[in-house]
Amino acid sequence: IYYIYKVFPLTILSSIDNLYQYNNNLMDHLDLHLISQHQCNKTFDIMKYGPIRGGTPAIYIPSHGYLSFFHVVNQSHSHCRRHYFIGCYIFSSIIPFQLIKLSYQPIVNDYLLYDYHNGNNKMSIVFPMSYQMIDKHGEVISPIDGKVDQIPHEIELSIGYNDTNGAIVNLDFNNLIETLINTN
């Protein structure tokens, strides 16, 4: 099992699963080991919004690599408001894993889902939770062992909103890929 510890620099950990019996209860014991760390010296516009934070599981897409989504948070000092943005990245499928592409600018932001319901102008939180891929016939492409066998037509990104709601953002796959820039 691989774990994305950090996106920038891309840091991947691996675990050696050891199952222990303890007082008739099964407990997982994880020993984490650094597998790969890739430093990219390029700067990206999205980084001016804040540090890259948590995201979705990565899924391998043929001829592209592993794709995942992340979020960044920017604290506005003048208005005491945090702004949330969602981006995307792709990394290589072989060790040493390398960051290949990254969002130059946000693909989703909190203005998209401004909290009109309660008039909250201090904070609207958006963060990626998961996503599924859709083929050109509208059928879900189910990953097996974190991989799909075809290039999707569309991505349905599920996002959390204000820690209480969820929403689906539909993204055209080719358009999404075009918004990413090479990291080398």
Side-chain angles (χ1 to χ4, degrees), residues 139-160:
E139 300 293 323
V140 173
I141 304 169
S142 297
I144 298 172
D145 294 329
K147 299 178 179 183
V148 295
D149 59 359
Q150 60 183 295
I151 296 173
H153 178 71
E154 184 177 285
I155 290 180
E156 292 179 343
L157 174 64
S158 65
I159 61 173

Side-chain angles (χ1 to χ4, degrees), residues 161-176:
Y161 174 55
N162 278 354
D163 292 336
T164 59
N165 298 306
I168 300 293
V169 177
N170 294 310
L171 303 167
D172 178 276
F173 180 76
N174 289 328
N175 289 343
L176 173 65

Side-chain angles (χ1 to χ4, degrees), residues 12-162:
I12 307 290
L13 304 176
S14 177
S15 70
I16 301 171
D17 273 337
N18 298 310
L19 203 56
Y20 289 98
Q21 184 86 24
Y22 180 74
N23 292 337
N24 296 324
N25 292 324
L26 293 178
M27 295 175 28
D28 283 285
H29 175 75
L30 297 178
D31 293 321
L32 296 178
H33 303 277
L34 178 66
I35 293 297
S36 178
Q37 188 168 39
H38 176 247
Q39 179 66 47
C40 174
N41 295 322
K42 202 172 197 178
T43 58
F44 298 88
D45 200 41
I46 198 163
M47 292 174 177
K48 75 179 180 187
Y49 298 102
I52 293 176
R53 299 172 82 172
T56 65
I59 297 176
Y60 176 78
I61 298 172
S63 74
H64 289 282
Y66 282 97
L67 181 135
S68 183
F69 294 88
F70 61 86
H71 74 282
V72 296
V73 181
N74 177 275
Q75 179 75 40
S76 171
H77 297 290
S78 61
H79 296 95
C80 297
R81 175 179 159 75
R82 284 184 264 167
H83 296 281
Y84 286 71
F85 306 92
I86 295 175
C88 181
Y89 66 101
I90 295 176
F91 63 94
S92 64
S93 62
I94 55 172
I95 298 172
F97 300 110
Q98 295 186 19
L99 195 59
I100 299 171
K101 291 180 178 270
L102 184 74
S103 293
Y104 183 70
Q105 295 195 356
I107 55 173
V108 177
N109 64 49
D110 59 357
Y111 297 112
L112 180 69
L113 297 168
Y114 178 74
D115 191 6
Y116 290 105
H117 179 68
N118 64 17
N120 181 357
N121 64 359
K122 298 288 184 206
M123 185 177 358
S124 295
I125 302 167
V126 293
F127 55 92
M129 296 189 301
S130 188
Y131 66 97
Q132 67 180 7
M133 291 174 269
I134 309 297
D135 69 14
K136 62 183 177 183
H137 305 291
E139 300 293 323
V140 173
I141 304 169
S142 297
I144 298 172
D145 294 329
K147 299 178 179 183
V148 295
D149 59 359
Q150 60 183 295
I151 296 173
H153 178 71
E154 184 177 285
I155 290 180
E156 292 179 343
L157 174 64
S158 65
I159 61 173
Y161 174 55
N162 278 354

